[in-house]
Amino acid sequence: AETAMPPADIGRVQAFLGGVRRPGPYERVGLGGKGGGAFSARQRPLDRSKTCPFLLRVFHKIGSHHGLEAFAVRGKEPVDDELQVYTWPDVTLRELADLVKDVAPEARSPSAKLHFRLIYPDKSGKNVMTELGQVTTSKRGPDDDKALSASKFQTGDLLDLAIYP
């Protein structure tokens, strides 16, 4: 006679794990739930010396954003305009703008404005674009200290950057 396995005791497992449920790979951290995610006011600072950076692909264009159709097929992105950056989830738009200034002379102009957009797949797998913010090279603005982790960003998403010199 075969014995049936007892059902898993979820309460005991959660108690063993300290009562914290780890988000799954397809869940956006910080959305919904009981707080404590990316949008929490009591978010712990990230220790960059102990956290592995990830590859962030930034596609920049002078004078306008790329069209969403440029990102419709994975692997067919506009690589001539690509900047690959290894960074952390808490990177700010100002930090990204400073990195872009190193490779794009147009971004160094005192009047230059850099507009950031996030490109990510929706639930059906089709890419969508949302505004992240803008940074002006000569003066600080409200989006300067905005971190990627404060948006819908997940590792593997792309950034589209319009540089207006």
Side-chain angles (χ1 to χ4, degrees):
E2 210 172 294
T3 59
M5 293 280 295
D9 186 351
I10 300 299
R12 191 178 315 153
V13 171
Q14 284 183 337
F16 177 74
L17 295 174
V20 177
R21 184 177 134 348
R22 185 171 176 258
Y26 299 105
E27 294 179 45
R28 297 263 184 207
V29 175
L31 295 179
K34 296 176 181 153
F39 298 110
S40 172
R42 51 191 164 82
Q43 181 179 3
R44 286 179 278 149
L46 183 73
D47 184 353
R48 290 183 175 185
S49 67
K50 294 181 180 177
T51 304
C52 183
F54 62 88
L55 174 65
L56 175 64
R57 298 176 70 196
V58 181
F59 298 89
H60 62 283
K61 187 174 180 183
I62 310 302
S64 69
H65 282 282
H66 291 90
L68 192 54
E69 65 279 354
F71 304 98
V73 179
R74 192 61 129 174
K76 303 270 188 198
E77 295 90 359
V79 292
D80 291 340
D81 301 331
E82 183 176 6
L83 172 63
Q84 294 186 346
V85 179
Y86 284 91
T87 190
W88 295 268
D90 67 342
V91 68
T92 64
L93 295 184
R94 172 58 67 184
E95 289 175 305
L96 289 173
D98 289 342
L99 290 171
V100 169
K101 284 193 253 181
D102 291 338
V103 296
E106 300 85 0
R108 295 182 205 135
S109 161
S111 63
K113 290 184 180 163
L114 287 73
H115 291 242
F116 292 89
R117 286 186 180 170
L118 175 64
I119 303 165
Y120 63 95
D122 64 8
K123 290 181 181 178
S124 68
K126 182 180 168 211
N127 279 340
V128 293
M129 245 186 217
T130 60
E131 295 288 331
L132 275 180
Q134 84 173 26
V135 173
T136 305
T137 56
S138 60
K139 61 182 178 181
R140 297 197 53 82
D143 294 334
D144 283 13
D145 295 324
K146 185 174 183 182
L148 279 185
S149 59
S151 69
K152 292 182 175 185
F153 180 82
Q154 283 189 340
T155 302
D157 292 346
L158 310 173
L159 290 188
D160 183 46
L161 170 64
I163 301 172
Y164 299 100

